Amino acid sequence: MRGRPSSCAFTGHRPAKLPWGYREEDPRCLALKRRIRDAVESAYEEGYCHFLCGMAQGCDLYFCEIVLALRVKHPEVTLEAAVPCPTQADDWPEAERQRYCQLLAACDYETLVSARYTPDCMQRRNRYLVDHSALLIAAYDGTLGGTQYTVQYAMRRGLDIADIPILL
């Protein structure tokens, strides 16, 4: 069962699982952002115009920024923030919290998946992303965690998956 045919979701790792952590000027991070941009542009060229983002630190925020840049060139593009709970960014470093708030405000839609934090609200958010999309772009290195869960769930649901390997 596939979600909306013109919708594309994203999943990817947080800084703790990225070899460069928060150092986005690292050449490996810059290369990953280029690969994400290429995948987003390819999805747009294939007819995907609604993008969903889980708004986690790291790869999700890269994706969000890339889709917002695409929207400048193509105003028909829409971006939906799938927020797992209202306190998602509360414990983040101040600069990341500000970035999150600015990006969230720039999204066309905000879907709050859970009214409060629960032990499963992140997985519920990940299922929401998959259930409302036909394509999943995944920046994934094969390790256990939420990204792996999301990719496996998307496979079970029959979504097309654009895999973006994370290079060390």
Side-chain angles (χ1 to χ4, degrees):
M1 177 93 183
R2 295 160 59 117
R4 291 189 281 180
S6 65
S7 295
C8 170
F10 178 83
T11 189
H13 293 302
R14 294 185 175 112
K17 285 197 175 179
L18 299 171
W20 53 86
Y22 286 95
R23 295 180 314 279
E24 292 184 40
E25 71 284 353
D26 185 289
R28 297 166 295 179
C29 182
L30 297 174
L32 176 61
K33 287 181 179 183
R34 283 191 298 275
R35 290 194 306 278
I36 293 171
R37 185 195 65 228
D38 291 347
V40 167
E41 288 176 354
S42 177
Y44 173 77
E45 290 167 7
E46 292 173 18
Y48 294 94
C49 58
H50 182 70
F51 294 84
L52 295 97
C53 181
M55 302 302 290
Q57 284 182 292
C59 292
D60 278 14
L61 296 187
Y62 308 164
F63 171 80
C64 187
E65 290 166 341
I66 289 164
V67 172
L68 289 170
L70 180 70
R71 189 178 70 185
V72 170
K73 294 188 282 188
H74 303 285
E76 69 277 13
V77 166
T78 56
L79 178 59
E80 178 179 353
V83 179
C85 63
T87 58
Q88 177 176 21
D90 284 3
D91 293 331
W92 295 5
E94 180 60 27
E96 284 290 287
R97 222 175 20 257
Q98 289 179 10
R99 181 183 190 183
Y100 169 86
C101 290
Q102 290 171 344
L103 292 173
L104 189 59
C107 290
D108 298 288
Y109 307 98
E110 179 181 345
T111 300
L112 186 60
V113 177
S114 179
R116 61 181 175 78
Y117 175 82
T118 64
D120 71 338
C121 69
M122 302 299 174
Q123 280 191 348
R124 289 181 60 214
R125 182 263 325 268
N126 295 342
R127 287 192 305 268
Y128 177 89
L129 292 169
V130 169
D131 291 343
H132 291 83
S133 301
L135 171 67
L136 179 70
I137 297 174
Y140 175 53
D141 68 1
T143 57
L144 295 174
T147 301
Q148 178 193 45
Y149 170 85
T150 306
V151 168
Q152 290 175 343
Y153 182 67
M155 291 171 67
R156 287 194 305 273
R157 300 283 292 173
L159 266 68
D160 291 328
I161 299 173
D163 180 41
I164 302 173
I166 295 177
L167 306 175
L168 303 177

